[in-house]
Amino acid sequence: MDAPAVFTEGDFYQQHFDPQEYMKEFYTLSDGQGQPNTFLTQSLRSLFKMFSLDGLRGDTLIDVGCGPTIYQLLSACERFQEIIALDYTDQNRRELERWLKGEPGAFDWRPVVKYVCELEGDREKWAEKEEKLRRKVKQVLKCDVTKANPTDPVSLPPADCIVSTLCLEGACKDLATFRSALRNISALVKPGGHLVMLTVLGETYYAFNQQVFSCLRLEKNEVEEAVEGAGFEVKFAETQPWPPGDIRADCDALLSLVARKRAPTSG
């Protein structure tokens, strides 16, 4: 499948992004042929590892660009008391709300929740974890990472941690916008707080359900420089190769990164 020649604007997401199809494609533990979903299990293991690092805990976590998914919050919800989820697309926020409220027809995350519980040492705690996550997500709000205040007109108090998975590279059309988006979301976290990121490297598109979405092609050093430029110090960075032969995206690797926000220098 050819990469889109043009940047996929927010309006296109709003009209064409189907959250149920997206989750079916990327967030089931095995594909239609029964092959394991390496991309998902790698992501879950990376998030487990990052949220186990020292100092990654606190009162509030903000998820920037949550999409319709919860996988990125399963390890996080053990470390933070309340979670605020942000996404640009109305149908993604609605889909997330459906799961949070336990509505019929919501995506079945149980296999993924069980997988994470197994990483944490007790697969049988899955129902308890689902309940905990539903209780901790306090708000689901619209956001636009290209705005100076991404949650405008709402102003959120700075959080102890922000997590952003597979969001900025889809939302930013060039490196300058990516750098600026990182500065924008940096305002959502307090000095000394953390940024946890999962980002794809070397990707120009991803596709599902006959729709192709553009992606900003990033290298590891570009991501790290942009994170440092947004006032953070990178504490942990690890890349894993993208599973070969996966035609749903032309990605090279998955980057997991944790950074700590520097305190402002006086005068």
Side-chain angles (χ1 to χ4, degrees), residues 12-247:
F12 185 87
Y13 271 87
Q14 190 68 17
Q15 288 165 13
H16 300 287
F17 193 88
D18 183 329
Q20 282 270 353
E21 290 296 333
Y22 171 71
M23 292 187 289
K24 256 191 281 189
E25 183 68 62
F26 291 102
Y27 295 102
T28 45
L29 281 174
S30 58
D31 65 19
Q33 284 76 51
Q35 293 300 310
N37 184 347
T38 314
F39 153 71
L40 176 57
T41 52
Q42 276 182 356
S43 302
L44 295 171
R45 285 200 300 271
S46 293
L47 287 157
F48 169 66
K49 188 173 184 176
M50 291 191 287
F51 281 107
S52 302
L53 295 170
D54 281 353
L56 263 150
R57 53 176 62 247
D59 294 326
T60 311
L61 172 81
I62 296 177
D63 182 358
V64 180
C66 58
T69 65
I70 63 155
Y71 75 97
Q72 70 280 13
L73 298 172
L74 292 169
S75 294
C77 75
E78 303 297 333
R79 295 302 194 97
F80 294 89
Q81 298 318 302
E82 60 167 45
I83 296 169
I84 299 167
L86 312 178
D87 199 72
Y88 180 83
T89 311
D90 299 344
Q91 61 267 33
N92 282 346
R93 296 196 309 279
R94 259 200 316 274
E95 195 61 49
L96 177 60
E97 297 266 20
R98 282 174 75 189
W99 183 84
L100 290 170
K101 292 172 181 161
E103 289 177 11
F107 188 74
D108 181 9
W109 284 101
R110 281 172 302 182
V112 173
V113 180
K114 287 174 181 174
Y115 183 89
V116 174
C117 286
E118 203 168 300
L119 292 177
E120 291 172 359
D122 188 354
R123 187 179 171 84
E124 295 316 308
K125 283 197 164 163
W126 68 269
E128 198 180 306
K129 185 183 274 292
E130 283 198 341
E131 175 51 37
K132 182 181 286 184
L133 182 53
R134 286 188 167 111
R135 203 173 56 240
K136 287 189 174 182
V137 178
K138 304 294 187 195
Q139 298 182 77
V140 180
L141 302 172
K142 185 171 178 78
C143 86
D144 181 344
V145 294
T146 65
K147 289 183 174 176
N149 170 15
T151 55
D152 186 61
V154 178
S155 285
L156 294 174
D160 299 290
C161 182
I162 49 177
V163 59
S164 190
T165 54
L166 312 178
C167 160
L168 299 180
E169 61 272 43
C172 299
K173 62 177 183 288
D174 52 35
L175 195 52
T177 314
F178 180 76
R179 289 191 183 121
S180 143
L182 269 162
R183 287 196 298 273
N184 296 342
I185 69 170
S186 155
L188 298 173
V189 65
K190 54 179 75 158
H194 289 88
L195 162 70
V196 174
M197 274 178 91
L198 267 189
T199 303
V200 283
L201 301 177
E203 179 172 301
T204 65
Y205 77 90
Y206 66 98
F208 66 96
N209 199 31
Q210 270 98 52
Q211 296 286 355
V212 184
F213 296 86
S214 68
C215 192
L216 175 61
R217 187 186 165 86
L218 292 165
E219 301 300 336
K220 180 171 183 269
N221 64 307
E222 292 172 329
V223 177
E224 291 184 355
E225 281 163 19
V227 166
E228 298 264 352
F232 293 91
E233 199 178 333
V234 175
K235 293 293 188 189
F236 169 89
E238 187 174 80
T239 51
Q240 290 166 307
W242 184 259
D246 190 334
I247 55 158

